[in-house]
Amino acid sequence: MTKLLLVEDEFLVRLGLKTFIPWEEFGFELIGEAVDGLDALTILAEKPCDLLITDISMPNMDGISLMERVKELYPHIKFLILSNYNDFRYVQRALQLGASDYILKLTMQPEDLQTKLQQIREEIENERKKQEETLLLNRTALQFRQEVTIEKHLRDLMTMQYSKREADELSQEYENLLPSFPWAVSMMKIDRYESVVDENRFQSEKLLRFSVMNVLQEIMRKYKAGHIVEMDGGRFGMISAIGAEPMLQEMAECMQRYLKLPVYFGTYSPVERAYDLHEACRFAEEALLERFYIDSNRVIPYREQMFSNHAIPISSQDEWLDSMARRDIEALQNAIRNMADAYSEDEVSRPYPDLARERWLHIVNLFEVFLQQKGGDLYSIAPYEGKYPHHVVRLSESIHEICEWLVGWIPVFFEHLIASTVHQPRAEIKAVQRMIEQKYSTSFKMSELAKEVNFTEPYLSSLFKKETGETMIDYLIRIRMKKARELLQDPNVKIYEVADAIGYSDPNYFAKLFKKIEGIYPQEYRKRYIH
């Protein structure tokens, strides 16, 4: 729809224009009406517009002054002038300013106005089409240039170890396009990248990366600083001259302001030759890991021995289990907070984040062991804030996020424990649970289970949820994922075989479902957590 604003100080003229033109039928959306130029500018500041139908003679700000101001602020907007016989010299000025046409108010006929509007709308649509075609051509050309020029080679240098000869040849070939040595190398990471992609705020991951690259390149052009390379997982590598911190700070600010994306930079310098680029990127990536402990610094320079290979030991597991047995929620929450606070002290040698995560996974496992002793299953607890414990520990961006989530989850844990010990499902529901445990690897319908216990499917679904606290589908998934974790312990069983064995014909769907619960894909689970 072509968006239109009506600007006319005479009420009857405005009323007539609104009533005798079927705007929507002609492809127009009337976004508002204004009584003078100042009123119109207020509306334009809040709403997009394609066409102004405006009178010339108005109080406060006339049509000519309005056109001049709109041309400065919104050059794409077109004008159709309403005039009287004595306004002709102003009409000439309006046409000089680019008005598409004019019409006399006293002799105005609906048919004449409709014809002019149709012509203007076609003109607007044609210009839009040309702009879209130009934008598409520019994007295609940019993508082509990126593929055949320096960015591709820089990406290779960053991600692969070249020989000294290969690296030297490349740096000599593109000497005129690269900053002079020494270089500063930066790795930028979009915070919570997977969540941003899942939110689909940018419609697609491709459009998200394209938007980010546009902002980064615009700022880098401003500083005339170097080159940007798009990598995977929401990461972007950069090379620039030494002293790039102001540029990186501006990038972080602009990413937050324009795209609402928090980002972090890890930096390393100096890089004296292209051959060292691969190692420098690894150091910059390592600097980014500090975000796990401290999220106040947007630009993090690499330092030697930033992390240790030894995690802070946790308190006695007997103390944890004793607090669980006493259902001392406050003691457990304090223990969680104390564990997180221990890593925030400056004099503490912080371990690599994966080692710290292992400590938190150990705590989660203590809750799992305690619940198993009571005949329960940690995976039967409904997701807290839409997440499962293992997923939170493995994928949270910071130790603070892990801590706060677990503190909130502990009461949920005990609510589930109390509910499961006080209430046992009725015989029919237990029978359905047994049938699901027997049929989990096959394709079956819930209606078949309902028939076995002489219930309708809707009634069984409602009763199962009421009696167990989870849906039949969630129960089925829990049983399947439990079996999947068992099968993954056998390195001889292929991932697609695991998926098929638990009832999923699509291994990709199984992998996504597994990651939603565990925080990692099946292959990574096997590599990292099965010894």
Side-chain angles (χ1 to χ4, degrees):
M1 298 285 281
T2 301
K3 299 182 183 298
L4 175 144
L5 175 62
L6 178 60
V7 188
E8 168 61 61
D9 62 326
E10 295 181 34
F11 172 75
L12 292 178
V13 175
R14 293 202 311 272
L15 181 62
L17 286 170
K18 286 195 301 181
T19 55
F20 67 58
I21 298 293
W23 297 105
E24 291 189 0
E25 292 181 17
F26 280 84
F28 288 90
E29 176 188 350
L30 188 62
I31 65 168
E33 49 186 297
V35 297
D36 57 37
L38 293 178
D39 193 17
L41 289 175
T42 301
I43 295 173
L44 291 175
E46 298 176 350
K47 297 180 180 180
C49 181
D50 302 305
L51 172 63
L52 279 180
I53 296 182
T54 181
D55 191 7
I56 288 182
S57 300
M58 296 180 293
N60 298 321
M61 179 183 282
D62 61 24
I64 298 299
S65 299
L66 173 61
M67 283 187 65
E68 291 173 342
R69 188 61 177 148
V70 169
K71 279 296 179 183
E72 294 175 5
L73 298 174
Y74 316 104
H76 70 282
I77 293 180
K78 295 191 176 300
F79 300 87
L80 178 61
I81 301 301
L82 299 173
S83 72
N84 296 312
Y85 283 107
N86 58 353
D87 287 336
F88 189 72
R89 66 187 181 90
Y90 296 108
V91 171
Q92 286 182 311
R93 175 58 181 153
L95 294 172
Q96 290 172 354
L97 286 171
S100 297
D101 209 337
Y102 72 95
I103 194 164
L104 295 173
K105 287 194 285 187
L106 295 179
T107 61
M108 177 172 53
Q109 296 296 320
E111 296 80 9
D112 295 337
L113 182 56
Q114 289 172 5
T115 300
K116 293 180 185 293
L117 288 171
Q118 186 70 22
Q119 292 171 348
I120 295 173
R121 190 171 70 84
E122 290 176 359
E123 185 180 341
I124 290 172
E125 290 178 349
N126 288 335
E127 288 183 4
R128 281 180 181 166
K129 187 175 181 180
K130 289 180 181 178
Q131 289 173 354
E132 290 172 356
E133 290 173 351
T134 300
L135 181 60
L136 180 60
L137 287 172
N138 288 341
R139 288 178 180 173
T140 303
L142 175 62
Q143 292 169 355
F144 177 77
R145 290 197 300 270
Q146 286 177 333
E147 284 297 319
V148 298
T149 55
I150 190 171
E151 278 73 16
K152 180 180 184 301
H153 297 294
L154 282 176
R155 185 185 297 108
D156 290 344
L157 282 168
M158 288 178 172
T159 57
M160 296 184 290
Q161 184 64 66
Y162 273 47
S163 70
K164 290 183 176 66
R165 178 181 174 182
E166 290 171 327
D168 289 343
E169 288 176 351
L170 274 176
S171 63
Q172 290 171 10
E173 182 179 354
Y174 295 102
E175 183 177 6
N176 294 332
L177 298 174
L178 294 169
S180 300
F181 289 108
W183 294 343
V185 174
S186 307
M187 294 298 298
M188 188 197 86
K189 185 177 185 299
I190 299 173
D191 207 31
R192 300 174 182 84
Y193 180 70
E194 291 193 359
S195 298
V196 173
V197 173
D198 291 341
E199 288 170 7
N200 204 31
R201 179 158 53 93
F202 292 84
Q203 298 181 345
S204 72
E205 187 174 1
K206 182 178 180 180
L207 187 56
L208 163 62
R209 296 197 305 265
F210 180 80
S211 302
V212 170
M213 182 65 91
N214 274 348
V215 173
L216 297 179
Q217 287 177 331
E218 189 67 27
I219 297 171
M220 183 161 276
R221 278 193 291 267
K222 171 185 172 182
Y223 284 84
K224 301 177 181 178
H227 293 276
I228 304 173
V229 174
E230 181 183 336
M231 306 178 87
D232 59 0
R235 299 176 305 128
F236 293 78
M238 306 177 198
I239 64 166
S240 60
I242 299 293
E245 287 77 9
M247 179 186 72
L248 301 181
Q249 291 287 0
E250 183 171 345
M251 285 178 171
E253 292 168 5
C254 289
M255 292 294 293
Q256 182 65 54
R257 184 185 311 138
Y258 298 118
L259 299 181
K260 302 297 184 289
L261 292 175
V263 298
Y264 290 82
F265 292 87
T267 67
Y268 177 84
S269 63
V271 176
E272 302 288 354
R273 54 184 179 174
Y275 173 72
D276 297 327
L277 187 56
H278 177 64
E279 184 179 42
C281 286
R282 186 165 55 83
F283 287 145
E285 291 258 27
E286 186 166 320
L288 271 173
L289 297 178
E290 190 171 77
R291 185 266 183 268
F292 184 72
Y293 298 104
I294 303 173
D295 63 1
S296 58
N297 298 330
R298 294 291 182 177
V299 179
I300 307 168
Y302 173 81
R303 306 183 305 276
E304 289 189 6
Q305 298 179 338
M306 291 184 72
F307 306 102
S308 73
N309 289 309
H310 303 285
I312 299 173
I314 62 174
S315 56
S316 167
Q317 72 177 35
D318 290 337
E319 294 179 13
W320 288 86
L321 294 172
D322 180 63
S323 296
M324 293 177 201
R326 290 184 286 106
R327 298 180 184 176
D328 192 338
I329 293 176
E330 185 177 355
L332 289 165
Q333 289 175 328
N334 287 335
I336 292 290
R337 291 192 180 100
N338 291 337
M339 186 171 166
D341 290 343
Y343 289 101
S344 64
E345 299 173 7
D346 291 336
E347 63 272 13
V348 171
S349 177
R350 298 188 181 98
Y352 283 96
D354 280 350
L355 293 176
R357 292 182 196 275
E358 288 292 344
R359 289 289 188 263
W360 290 100
L361 283 173
H362 183 73
I363 298 302
V364 171
N365 290 337
L366 289 178
F367 281 95
E368 186 173 13
V369 168
F370 179 80
L371 196 58
Q372 286 174 344
Q373 291 172 350
K374 303 294 183 181
D377 184 347
L378 186 74
Y379 291 89
S380 67
I381 302 176
Y384 172 60
E385 295 182 344
K387 299 176 183 177
Y388 296 89
H390 293 91
H391 181 277
V392 168
V393 173
R394 288 170 177 148
L395 286 187
S396 290
E397 296 280 354
S398 71
I399 204 166
H400 174 75
E401 290 178 34
I402 296 174
C403 170
E404 290 305 308
W405 190 91
L406 287 174
V407 164
W409 174 78
I410 288 173
V412 176
F413 172 86
F414 283 106
E415 287 175 10
H416 173 83
L417 175 64
I418 294 169
S420 60
T421 53
V422 170
H423 175 76
Q424 291 295 317
R426 55 194 285 179
E428 295 91 340
I429 299 303
K430 287 184 176 180
V432 171
Q433 287 176 323
R434 288 193 297 270
M435 284 188 281
I436 292 175
E437 291 165 9
Q438 293 167 359
K439 296 173 177 285
Y440 73 89
S441 62
T442 64
S443 176
F444 64 93
K445 297 179 180 179
M446 294 302 174
S447 58
E448 298 171 2
L449 305 182
K451 188 175 181 180
E452 289 289 332
V453 291
N454 296 316
F455 288 158
T456 64
E457 184 179 351
Y459 178 69
L460 175 60
S461 297
S462 175
L463 185 62
F464 193 98
K465 172 70 173 178
K466 180 180 178 181
E467 292 284 306
T468 68
E470 60 185 331
T471 66
M472 288 191 290
I473 294 297
D474 288 341
Y475 186 77
L476 171 62
I477 291 173
R478 178 157 65 86
I479 297 301
R480 285 176 167 176
M481 293 302 117
K482 180 180 179 181
K483 185 62 177 179
R485 289 190 293 273
E486 294 174 3
L487 292 172
L488 286 169
Q489 296 183 44
D490 185 350
N492 296 317
V493 181
K494 309 294 185 185
I495 300 298
Y496 71 86
E497 293 174 335
V498 174
D500 187 64
I502 63 173
Y504 294 114
S505 58
D506 184 353
N508 292 326
Y509 177 75
F510 158 64
K512 290 179 180 178
L513 197 58
F514 187 90
K515 185 180 181 183
K516 181 179 179 182
I517 297 172
E518 293 294 334
I520 50 178
Y521 288 110
Q523 191 66 42
E524 189 178 359
Y525 180 90
R526 169 175 281 170
K527 289 179 180 178
R528 293 174 59 182
Y529 296 98
I530 305 301
H531 304 291

